[in-house]
Each structure stands twice: as structure tokens, then as C-alpha cells.
Amino acid sequence: MECPMTAAAPATAQKTILRALAGETLPTPPIWMMRQAGRYLPEYRATRAQAGDFLSLCYNPELAAEVTLQPIRRYGFDAAILFADILLVPQALGADLWFVTGEGPRLSTITNMAGVEALKPASAIHDTLAPVYETVKILSRELPQETTLIGFAGAPWTVATYMIAGRGTPDQAPAHAMREQAPEAFDALIARITEATIDYLSMQIEAGAEVVKIFDSWAGSLKGEAFQRYALEPARKIITEIKARHPGIPIIAFPREAGEGYIGFGPATGADCVALDNSVTPEWAAEHVQKDGCVQGNLASSHMVSGGPALVEATERVVRAFHKGPHIFNLGHGITPDADPENVALMIETVRSFRA
Ligand code: CP3
């Protein structure tokens, strides 16, 4: 029997993001932007106000689909990313989660094995996360035919850093302390998040996500052996299992600030594309990372605030550096609330009019 997930239907094969992920070098790279649905857009702020707060927006399928679509309508990006948050998985596992306006997320903390054992089993996450799957279903109906729908989850290490500290931390010190001082509990936590992430991404794919991305925002604070064990290995496990369940689904991995760790990350984990932050130059990444396959990135998001000729020059530099191989244009990290929507339009115009 033919599986709709694996069949390379001609219509989807034409989507530029899927072509780049399959390894094709395109004359113009497809483009989308991390946090493209976000506070820099007045229409996002209006819908968030309508929802009440950020988490209510995440769990309201109609409004979450609406904010996902807003940047597609305004700019015609080649991909839409599901509107949700990586911290919904800890919440679904039983952690308390709330957002403090102007500060960021807060969670109940986990510091030992008793805390890990008090979490719900991975199989219990879907009650909480059902509205997210509904958002994906709405989007797969409503997105323009040429737009690719990207689902996502946080990587186990990054999610664990928030579950252990109960908030964002500049150096992830509480998580590093736990992995050194309570390695068994730490490993059990990583295993639980890994299992939940596999099930969560699978459900997004079943609901209509065409690509999934794994965000490891704090991968850069893992060094040497710890990077292999807690950034590379969980990504490899998740990707292997997703590919077994959903052959043909492309996966983007984002081990942010991995530096030298970017080299070989795609082949080692099975990711179809490695997303790059802007702490590496595009020329370096073309030589050392794009040689293995598709890359995504990596314009500094500060250009979306400052704009002007420097934005045009930096955008052209990224496109030029990657134009001989498969590339998806993106920022090196999420767009910030102080960005000017006009600068986003200028970036897109620059990418789409560039000729090598
Ligand atoms: O990219 C997108 O447009 C899709 C939706 C998305 C959000 N968060 C919405 C969001 C995605 C993919 C994320 C990922 C995410 N969330 C990460 C990994 C990527 C990264 O940025 O490093 C992390 C670490 C989080 C956790 C998180 N969520 C933090 C630390 C914060 C507070 C910081 C901030 O920017 O305010 C959030 C809030 C959040 N997630 C917002 C959005 C649009 C802003 C909340 C608001 O509207 O008030």
C-alpha cells in the first residue's frame, strides 16, 4: 500500500524547500525566518492580545494557525513554521510552565531522580499537546500550495536546561551541575525527553508537517565528549526513529553555536540539513558543512534591526557563499521584537534578486 508520507508526489516535489532538503542546488535559495511569527509584527501582537497571553495563543489552534499564516501573507516566505514553543513538551510531561512578561519562561525545577520519576510517561503527552496537532491540521489545509509546513521540537539537552533551572540561564550552569553530580538522574531526564520528542514529532508529521526541525539552542555550551553524548547522540536517536516511522520526512538539526561541532553533524545524526548560527562565517560553513549536504542560515538577526546597505551586503555574502550547493536562506537565530518589518522585506528582495 502506498504511504502518503513517503510518496514523492509531484506537487510536493516542486516545493523549493523540499528540493533543497533533497540536496538540489537552486538558482535562488528558498527562504524563511526563525520566529517569523513574532512580536516585531503588529498583526502578531494584535492576535496575541486577542488570545490573552502567549501560552493561550499556543494552545488555541485557530489563533496559532492565524499567526503562523501572517508572515506568509505579508512576505510570501517559502516555509511556514508551526506556531508553538519548545517548552510545551515539559508542560505535557507534567512540569509547571508560565511566562513572565518581559523576562521569559519559568518552570518548576527538576534536580534529582525523584523529580524525573514524578514526570508523566512520554506516552501521556498527547492530551496536553492535542491542540498543537490541530493547529498543524488547519495549516496543512490553509497554507498556499507552494509553502512548506515545518514542525519542530526542542532538542533534549536544550529542553532539559529549562526543566532543571526552571528558566533560561546564560551558561546553563544548573544543567551542567546536574549532569556532573547526578548523572543517572540527568540521563533519565534526557531519555524521557527524547522519547517524548519522538512521539511529539511523529504526531506533527501525521497531522501534516512536511519537515521537522530540532532546536538545540544551547548545544554550544556542551564541549568535547559532552557534545557527542548530549547534543549529537540524542539528535541521532530522534532522527533515526522518525525516519524509521516516517521514511522520506526531511529533518533539519540546529545545534546552535556548535562551532567545530557542526563538521560532520549531518552525516553523524542523519539530518538532511544543518542549520547554522552566525558565529561561523558562511565561507567556512560552505567549505566544512555544506560539503555534506543542505545547510540553512545564517544572517545575523541584528540586521533586521539595523537595516540599510550593511543588511544588503551581508545578505548577498550569505547567498554568494552558499550558492554552489543546497541552501535554505534564514537568520542565524530568531528575529527579535525590535526588528523593523521593512528590513525583512529588504532581505527577501535582496535574496530573490541576487545573481551570482
Ligand atoms: O519560529 C517561530 O516563529 C515558531 C514558533 C517558535 C517560538 N519559539 C515562539 C515563541 C519556536 C520555533 C520557538 C522555539 C524556542 N522557544 C526555542 C528554540 C529557539 C531559540 O529561540 O533559541 C527556545 C529556547 C524557546 C523557549 C522560549 N520561548 C523562550 C526562552 C522565550 C522567551 C524569549 C522571548 O523571545 O521572549 C519564548 C517565548 C516565545 N516563543 C515567543 C515566541 C513568538 C515570544 C513570546 C511572546 O509573544 O510574548
Side-chain angles (χ1 to χ4, degrees):
M1 211 183 77
E2 197 182 35
C3 168
M5 237 69 75
T6 59
T12 42
Q14 283 159 14
K15 293 190 184 187
T16 51
I17 297 255
L18 299 179
R19 288 169 60 187
L21 287 168
E24 196 178 327
T25 303
L26 298 163
T28 298
I31 178 168
W32 68 282
M33 200 171 63
M34 283 184 268
R35 292 273 169 98
Q36 62 190 22
R39 287 159 291 179
Y40 74 106
L41 288 180
E43 58 269 39
Y44 169 83
R45 297 196 297 268
T47 309
R48 194 187 62 172
Q50 193 189 337
D53 57 38
F54 173 67
L55 279 177
S56 308
L57 179 54
C58 290
Y59 288 117
N60 182 322
E62 279 74 29
L63 295 183
E66 165 59 24
V67 294
T68 306
L69 290 164
Q70 286 167 351
I72 308 306
R73 288 190 205 114
R74 185 190 266 257
Y75 298 115
F77 282 117
D78 297 294
I81 184 158
L82 163 70
F83 188 85
D85 197 84
I86 66 164
L87 299 178
L88 304 187
V89 166
Q91 188 172 40
L93 284 169
D96 295 328
L97 171 69
W98 67 102
F99 279 79
V100 179
T101 310
E103 288 188 34
R106 295 289 183 276
L107 299 88
S108 45
T109 59
I110 292 180
T111 52
N112 55 29
M113 192 62 97
V116 179
E117 283 169 354
L119 290 172
K120 294 181 193 169
S123 58
I125 61 174
H126 304 302
D127 285 349
T128 303
L129 297 171
V132 177
Y133 312 142
E134 188 55 35
T135 306
V136 175
K137 281 186 196 152
I138 296 172
L139 287 168
S140 59
R141 278 200 310 268
E142 294 193 0
L143 274 170
Q145 200 192 308
E146 67 278 10
T147 314
T148 302
L149 178 55
I150 303 176
F152 73 92
W157 161 250
T158 287
V159 172
T161 65
Y162 289 94
M163 293 178 82
I164 294 163
R167 60 192 298 160
T169 46
D171 52 5
Q172 297 76 58
H176 286 294
M178 184 173 168
R179 85 176 164 77
E180 280 159 15
Q181 289 154 26
E184 277 183 26
F186 182 79
D187 285 359
L189 179 59
I190 292 288
R192 183 72 58 93
I193 302 167
T194 301
E195 205 189 330
T197 302
I198 291 165
D199 285 351
Y200 181 46
L201 291 175
S202 277
M203 291 293 275
Q204 293 181 30
I205 293 162
E206 281 164 32
E210 300 169 279
V211 173
V212 292
K213 177 169 173 184
I214 303 167
F215 284 87
D216 208 350
S217 303
W218 300 119
S221 78
L222 292 164
K223 305 294 177 199
E225 175 63 24
F227 180 86
Q228 301 291 314
R229 186 157 175 187
Y230 295 117
L232 196 147
E233 185 54 26
R236 191 194 62 74
K237 233 182 226 159
I238 293 166
I239 292 168
T240 305
E241 185 59 29
I242 295 287
K243 297 250 177 200
R245 293 191 198 177
H246 306 281
I249 280 286
I251 302 176
I252 304 171
F254 184 32
R256 191 170 74 92
E257 294 194 356
E260 300 268 308
Y262 278 127
I263 301 173
F265 197 85
T269 59
D272 301 272
C273 175
V274 176
L276 303 159
D277 69 89
N278 52 276
S279 70
V280 294
T281 67
E283 294 79 15
W284 178 89
E287 183 181 344
H288 296 283
V289 190
Q290 195 188 30
K291 71 173 175 44
D292 294 327
C294 187
V295 291
Q296 177 180 283
N298 74 336
L299 181 71
S301 55
S302 55
H303 286 294
M304 298 302 101
V305 180
S306 49
L311 179 164
V312 174
E313 197 182 316
T315 300
E316 287 181 344
R317 177 178 168 184
V318 171
V319 181
R320 185 178 297 109
F322 292 126
H323 86 281
K324 291 188 175 136
H327 176 219
I328 298 168
F329 192 94
N330 205 308
L331 304 178
H333 200 192
I335 187 168
T336 51
D338 54 346
D340 181 346
E342 290 297 321
N343 291 334
V344 176
L346 178 59
M347 169 184 73
I348 296 170
E349 167 60 23
T350 305
V351 170
R352 291 189 171 154
S353 62
F354 180 85
R355 297 291 172 268

